[in-house]
Amino acid sequence: MWPGSDRKWGQSRVRRRTTEDPMYAPARHDEITGIVNYLDQQLTAIRSAAFGLTEEQARQTPCRSALSIGGIIKHAAQGLRGAVPRLTSDVVERPLDAEAYAAYADGFVVRDDETVAGTIDDFDKARAELLALLTSIDPAADAMAPPAPWEGIVDARPIHARYYLLHLVEEYARHAGHADIVREQIDGVAVPALVLTLAGAPANDFFRPYEPAPGTLLA
């Protein structure tokens, strides 16, 4: 089990960014606080990529890949939910059958019976659950990494929690970059400007707030 309550890694120790903070500003924080804030910053970027898009636009795949903004957010939510059991138990197996492959592929597509708005709501819930859990994690705690056969690793291996926590930052930073590229292909708007706008940042020499059309996502 990874939570380090016996090490006094309680929620009061973690000073998280708020929706008014467009970035994780320099600070002298402890390790888990830094990890939580950097992860939260990447999740903010992924979510912000949908700001001002219509449902149709958020389903578009304007690059040569099959990635859409809605699909990236849905996949991110899927990963956030999957991180909870990884952080609360030793997961030593990873089934790779037809059902697992289908679930993985489905995670990148907003189906006809789903909405991007609903996907964002699901993302928000999964994000809040994971970030609340992370406040009780000791990065130095012992844990296990399940097999990663696509990397040639077929057995579970011992790690410190830190290894997986930093992987989460890496994973969502990658998807934040995907979302930025896809959004710029749709309407030329860069995600950092959307993050600043949603945070209520005033205009300055480097930034002008984005003005979404009424009725669009997150508007």
Side-chain angles (χ1 to χ4, degrees):
M1 299 285 286
W2 294 14
S5 56
D6 57 327
R7 300 172 187 262
K8 298 183 180 179
W9 291 85
Q11 186 165 354
S12 61
R13 291 286 302 276
V14 176
R15 296 172 290 280
R16 276 182 51 196
R17 298 166 56 251
T18 69
T19 55
E20 289 75 33
D21 299 326
M23 67 169 287
Y24 177 31
R28 290 181 171 178
H29 287 161
D30 56 33
E31 184 179 11
I32 192 62
T33 301
I35 291 171
V36 169
N37 280 290
Y38 272 120
L39 174 60
D40 196 31
Q41 182 169 289
Q42 310 316 313
L43 297 175
T44 293
I46 292 171
R47 184 183 191 274
S48 298
F51 179 36
L53 295 181
T54 64
E55 280 272 340
E56 180 182 0
Q57 286 176 313
R59 294 169 183 266
Q60 290 178 3
T61 55
C63 301
R64 294 183 66 180
S65 73
L67 291 177
S68 68
I69 296 298
I72 292 170
I73 294 172
K74 182 178 175 180
H75 173 73
Q78 183 185 63
L80 294 172
R81 288 193 303 271
V84 172
R86 283 286 305 273
L87 290 164
T88 54
S89 62
D90 283 337
V91 179
V92 296
E93 296 182 353
R94 177 174 274 154
L96 290 178
D97 52 19
E99 183 179 356
Y101 278 111
Y104 178 78
D106 180 69
F108 283 99
V109 179
V110 181
R111 300 188 306 266
D112 291 341
D113 62 343
E114 298 174 320
T115 65
V116 177
T119 296
I120 293 172
D121 288 341
D122 184 44
F123 172 91
D124 289 343
K125 292 173 185 176
R127 174 186 185 179
E129 181 181 3
L130 178 60
L131 292 177
L133 173 63
L134 289 181
T135 63
S136 66
I137 300 297
D138 177 2
D142 291 332
M144 294 294 292
W150 50 86
E151 297 286 354
I153 300 173
V154 297
D155 57 328
R157 298 186 179 183
I159 57 172
H160 287 144
R162 179 181 297 107
Y163 178 92
Y164 182 60
L165 295 172
L166 292 177
H167 166 68
L168 290 176
V169 177
E170 172 210 17
E171 177 76 4
Y172 290 105
R174 180 186 304 113
H175 289 314
H178 291 154
D180 193 3
I181 291 170
V182 174
R183 178 59 191 258
E184 290 195 41
Q185 290 298 311
I186 293 172
D187 62 1
V189 178
V191 166
L194 301 174
V195 171
L196 288 168
T197 301
L198 285 168
N204 57 41
D205 290 342
F206 308 97
F207 160 73
R208 290 292 180 272
Y210 170 75
E211 296 184 6
T216 53
L217 294 166
L218 303 179

